[in-house]
Amino acid sequence: MKNKSLISIHDYTKEDYFKVLEWAEIFQKNPKEYQNLLNGKVVATLFFEPSTRTRLSFESAVQRMGGRIIGFSDPGSSSVQKGESLKDTILTVAQYSDLIVMRHPIEGSARWASEVSPVPIVNAGDGANQHPTQCLLDLFTIKETQHRLDNLTLTFVGDLKYGRTVHSLIQAMANFNPTINLVSPESLKLPNEYKLMLKKHNIKYHEYNDLSGVLKDSDIVYVTRVQRERFSDPIEYEKVKNAYVLDASMLVDTKPNLKVLHPLPRVNEISVDVDDTDKAYYFQQALNGVYTRMAIISLILGLKN
């Protein structure tokens, strides 16, 4: 992993997943022991698209290890506003930093940036394509709550078409023989390329329009927001924005180990009454993002092996 960009979850092997998860757990258990690990290192965060959780999670990870942060959260305040190309931005920022974390609305932009950058690029989300660090923190959270990754039943709910976190996690979990339930409106079904991948790996998957019937057999329910910003037609968004609302009453008689995850932010797809149940795990999942990103950054910079 040393000096290697992380653009897609496919850039890492199954063994790499476990290496990241191992170090995330070490950071989780001993956060203060590594507070000087990034001394002298500078990480740039270039967010060409709005983000709160992912950006702050990365910045928290760097600062907890004693590193320094530069960058922007609004491209309107950068030289992009003056017409600077992405290539020039990357080549310039690379002179000032040891690693670049980038979010961009265009699919493939992170891969392209990694091909021109002299320092490693970490993809913090490119359009509806990939979100590999979210995927690794999701793997960490699933393992933490289920004590294993193999042979689980995962139910994905909501926007499966544009949900890059879903796309990355389904690809990673294909290594662990899951049963996958896909619950979405017809217009937001999982793209065929991912279903073909599941078939190639002989992974059982089932598609549903109704949520209630699949909850009782699930180990993980992974809920996603219907993303208004991905719709060119606001009328189409209005048709599906409230397609699924998970509330506490729906979780009665589910498996004791079931946990509800969400990459956040939520709008109204998980009722607040779920927060008070022992099924809710999305805020702990957000915290796990810090430990997982501490692991990713330190492994890429060669500070751990």
Short mmCIF file of all heavy atoms in Angstrom, two decimals, residues 11 23 40 51 53 91 156 163 261-262 288 301:
data_model
loop_
_atom_site.label_atom_id
_atom_site.label_comp_id
_atom_site.label_asym_id
_atom_site.label_seq_id
_atom_site.Cartn_x
_atom_site.Cartn_y
_atom_site.Cartn_z
N ASP A 11 -8.54 -1.54 -5.87
CA ASP A 11 -7.10 -1.29 -5.76
C ASP A 11 -6.50 -2.07 -4.59
O ASP A 11 -5.27 -2.21 -4.51
CB ASP A 11 -6.83 0.21 -5.55
CG ASP A 11 -7.17 1.02 -6.79
OD1 ASP A 11 -7.23 0.43 -7.89
OD2 ASP A 11 -7.39 2.24 -6.66
N TRP A 23 -5.28 -2.21 11.59
CA TRP A 23 -4.72 -0.96 12.10
C TRP A 23 -5.80 -0.01 12.59
O TRP A 23 -5.59 0.75 13.55
CB TRP A 23 -3.82 -0.31 11.05
CG TRP A 23 -2.44 -0.87 11.17
CD1 TRP A 23 -1.84 -1.79 10.37
CD2 TRP A 23 -1.51 -0.59 12.23
NE1 TRP A 23 -0.60 -2.09 10.85
CE2 TRP A 23 -0.37 -1.37 11.98
CE3 TRP A 23 -1.53 0.24 13.34
CZ2 TRP A 23 0.74 -1.34 12.82
CZ3 TRP A 23 -0.44 0.27 14.19
CH2 TRP A 23 0.69 -0.51 13.92
N GLY A 40 5.41 16.44 10.80
CA GLY A 40 6.15 16.85 9.60
C GLY A 40 5.45 16.52 8.30
O GLY A 40 5.94 16.89 7.23
N SER A 51 -19.14 18.34 1.25
CA SER A 51 -19.02 17.19 2.14
C SER A 51 -18.81 17.71 3.55
O SER A 51 -18.11 18.70 3.75
CB SER A 51 -17.83 16.32 1.74
OG SER A 51 -17.54 15.37 2.76
N ARG A 53 -19.15 15.09 6.62
CA ARG A 53 -18.63 13.94 7.34
C ARG A 53 -17.30 13.45 6.78
O ARG A 53 -16.33 13.26 7.52
CB ARG A 53 -19.64 12.79 7.34
CG ARG A 53 -20.68 12.87 8.41
CD ARG A 53 -21.98 12.44 7.87
NE ARG A 53 -22.40 13.31 6.79
CZ ARG A 53 -23.03 14.46 7.01
NH1 ARG A 53 -23.33 14.83 8.19
NH2 ARG A 53 -23.36 15.25 5.98
N LEU A 91 -1.07 19.11 -9.76
CA LEU A 91 0.38 19.26 -9.84
C LEU A 91 0.88 20.35 -8.89
O LEU A 91 1.99 20.24 -8.35
CB LEU A 91 0.80 19.57 -11.28
CG LEU A 91 0.67 18.40 -12.26
CD1 LEU A 91 1.03 18.86 -13.68
CD2 LEU A 91 1.56 17.23 -11.84
N PHE A 156 -29.62 -3.81 1.42
CA PHE A 156 -29.34 -2.44 0.99
C PHE A 156 -30.66 -1.78 0.61
O PHE A 156 -31.45 -2.34 -0.16
CB PHE A 156 -28.38 -2.44 -0.21
CG PHE A 156 -26.99 -2.92 0.13
CD1 PHE A 156 -26.67 -4.27 0.06
CD2 PHE A 156 -26.02 -2.02 0.53
CE1 PHE A 156 -25.38 -4.72 0.38
CE2 PHE A 156 -24.74 -2.46 0.85
CZ PHE A 156 -24.42 -3.81 0.77
N GLY A 163 -25.94 5.46 -5.49
CA GLY A 163 -25.26 5.35 -4.21
C GLY A 163 -23.88 4.73 -4.34
O GLY A 163 -23.71 3.51 -4.33
N LEU A 261 -27.09 0.55 9.48
CA LEU A 261 -25.99 1.45 9.09
C LEU A 261 -26.50 2.46 8.07
O LEU A 261 -27.48 2.22 7.36
CB LEU A 261 -24.82 0.65 8.51
CG LEU A 261 -24.24 -0.49 9.35
CD1 LEU A 261 -23.01 -1.08 8.66
CD2 LEU A 261 -23.89 -0.02 10.75
N HIS A 262 -25.80 3.57 7.97
CA HIS A 262 -26.14 4.63 7.01
C HIS A 262 -24.88 5.46 6.82
O HIS A 262 -24.24 5.85 7.81
CB HIS A 262 -27.28 5.49 7.57
CG HIS A 262 -27.90 6.45 6.58
ND1 HIS A 262 -27.17 7.38 5.89
CD2 HIS A 262 -29.19 6.60 6.18
CE1 HIS A 262 -27.98 8.08 5.10
NE2 HIS A 262 -29.21 7.62 5.25
N ASN A 288 -16.09 5.46 13.41
CA ASN A 288 -15.16 4.47 12.87
C ASN A 288 -14.45 4.98 11.63
O ASN A 288 -13.36 4.50 11.28
CB ASN A 288 -15.91 3.18 12.55
CG ASN A 288 -16.26 2.39 13.81
OD1 ASN A 288 -15.71 2.62 14.87
ND2 ASN A 288 -17.20 1.45 13.68
N LEU A 301 1.39 6.28 3.60
CA LEU A 301 2.61 7.06 3.80
C LEU A 301 3.77 6.20 4.33
O LEU A 301 4.86 6.70 4.57
CB LEU A 301 2.33 8.22 4.75
CG LEU A 301 1.42 9.32 4.17
CD1 LEU A 301 1.18 10.42 5.21
CD2 LEU A 301 2.03 9.93 2.91
#
